[in-house]
Amino acid sequence: MEANKAAVQRYVERFNAGDLEGLRELFSDDALIYGVLGWGKMDDVMPIWQQLVSGLAMQLEIVDMIAEDDRVAVRYLERGTSRGPFFDKPATGKSYELVAMEWFEMKEGRIHRRWGARDAASQARQLGWS
C-alpha cells in the first residue's frame, strides 16, 4: 500500500511540474483515465491535461490520501490561474481554488485506472466564465 501511495505522490509531483510525458511511465499500458472533461487512454487525455497545465496553471496539493489493497483515494486542494485559453474559454487572469478528488486502481505498481471529480461550477464562477 505504501508503494501505491508513493506512485500517486509521483503522479502529483509530475503533474504539478508540467511533466506530462513523465506521467506516462506511471500508468499501465492499458490504463484508462476518467474525469469530468473526458475519459480514455493516455493519448486521449493528454490534450486535456495539457490544457489544465498551460491554460489554467493547475496545481494539486494533497490534503488526504488513503490506501487499501490496490486502491488509493486522494482529496486535493486544487489551485490555478487562467493564464491562457482553456478549450473554448478565454484567459481571464483570475485564480481559483477548489476541492478535487481522485480514485486510483493500481496494477503491478502502476496506475491502471484513475477517476477524478472536481467542482467545475465553482471553478467557472471563480474564473469569471459563468
Side-chain angles (χ1 to χ4, degrees):
M1 289 184 288
E2 290 305 313
N4 290 339
K5 289 169 71 173
V8 171
Q9 178 68 43
R10 285 190 302 278
Y11 157 85
V12 172
E13 291 166 359
R14 289 180 188 182
F15 190 92
N16 286 346
D19 182 9
L20 300 183
E21 287 304 316
L23 286 172
R24 284 185 187 273
E25 69 187 47
L26 301 176
F27 284 80
S28 65
D29 294 337
D30 59 344
L32 289 176
I33 298 97
Y34 301 87
V36 296
L37 297 172
W39 72 276
K41 294 186 177 202
M42 289 298 292
D43 289 340
D44 299 316
V45 300
M46 281 298 213
I48 296 169
W49 286 351
Q50 182 59 51
Q51 288 284 315
L52 292 169
V53 169
S54 65
L56 298 181
M58 188 176 115
Q59 295 286 291
L60 299 170
E61 177 186 332
I62 296 173
V63 176
D64 286 308
M65 181 187 299
I66 59 172
E68 184 174 319
D69 298 324
D70 64 349
R71 307 286 198 261
V72 179
V74 184
R75 180 170 56 100
Y76 302 107
L77 182 57
E78 177 185 319
R79 295 182 180 100
T81 301
S82 177
R83 295 189 177 153
F86 182 68
F87 295 102
D88 64 340
K89 307 286 190 223
T92 64
K94 295 181 179 182
S95 296
Y96 75 95
E97 181 176 295
L98 54 85
V99 172
M101 292 177 238
E102 290 181 330
W103 179 276
F104 299 86
E105 179 183 312
M106 309 301 288
K107 178 180 170 183
E108 298 173 358
R110 296 169 76 194
I111 301 166
H112 180 60
R113 299 284 187 264
R114 194 231 71 177
W115 292 265
R118 51 205 290 279
D119 187 353
S122 173
Q123 179 190 49
R125 281 191 306 277
Q126 292 177 59
L127 293 176
W129 294 335
S130 64

